[in-house]
C-alpha cells in the first residue's frame, strides 16, 4: 500500500507544475544596439640608445661635464685585475 500512495502523490506534483509559456516575436526596433567599447590607446615611448650620459636632460648652455677616474681592483674568476672606472656629472659653468 505504501508503494501505491507514493506513486499517486508524484503524479499530482507533476501535473500541478506544468506551465505553458509562449515565445513572443521581437521587432528589430526593440533590440538595443550592441555596446561599443572605446578603442584602447597604445603607449608610445621614444627609444633612446644608451650612451652612458646621465641624467638625460639638457643641463643648459653654460654647463660643464666633470668626470672622476679611478683604478679599482676587480676580483674575477681568472684572478684579481685593476680596471679604470669613470663617473661623470654636470655642473654649472
Amino acid at each position: 500500500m505504501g508503494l501505491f500512495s507514493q506513486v499517486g502523490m508524484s503524479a499530482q506534483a507533476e501535473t500541478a507544475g506544468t506551465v505553458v509559456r509562449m515565445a513572443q516575436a521581437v521587432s528589430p526596433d526593440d533590440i538595443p544596439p550592441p555596446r561599443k567599447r572605446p578603442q584602447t590607446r597604445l603607449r608610445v615611448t621614444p627609444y633612446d640608445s644608451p650612451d652612458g650620459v646621465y641624467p638625460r636632460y639638457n643641463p643648459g648652455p653654460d654647463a660643464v661635464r666633470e668626470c672622476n677616474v679611478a683604478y679599482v681592483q676587480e676580483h674575477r674568476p681568472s684572478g684579481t685585475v685593476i680596471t679604470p672606472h669613470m663617473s661623470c656629472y654636470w655642473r654649472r659653468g
Side-chain angles (χ1 to χ4, degrees), residues 2-92:
L3 183 63
F4 292 114
S5 64
Q6 290 178 355
V7 172
M9 293 176 76
S10 64
Q12 290 175 355
E14 288 179 12
T15 57
T18 306
V19 177
V20 177
R21 296 185 183 189
M22 300 285 293
Q24 296 179 356
V26 179
S27 67
D29 296 335
D30 294 341
I31 299 173
R35 292 185 184 180
K36 293 184 180 179
R37 286 186 1 194
Q39 286 186 337
T40 56
R41 302 190 87 176
L42 298 176
R43 290 186 182 180
V44 178
T45 56
Y47 176 74
D48 290 332
S49 61
D51 55 359
V53 178
Y54 179 81
R56 296 293 306 169
Y57 65 88
N58 184 3
D62 61 344
V64 177
R65 185 175 180 193
E66 290 197 7
C67 297
N68 296 325
V69 179
Y71 290 103
V72 255
Q73 287 185 355
E74 290 185 357
H75 302 286
R76 299 183 180 178
S78 60
T80 304
V81 293
I82 298 174
T83 57
H85 280 260
M86 182 169 59
S87 61
C88 299
Y89 62 93
W90 292 100
R91 71 167 178 84
R92 294 189 179 246

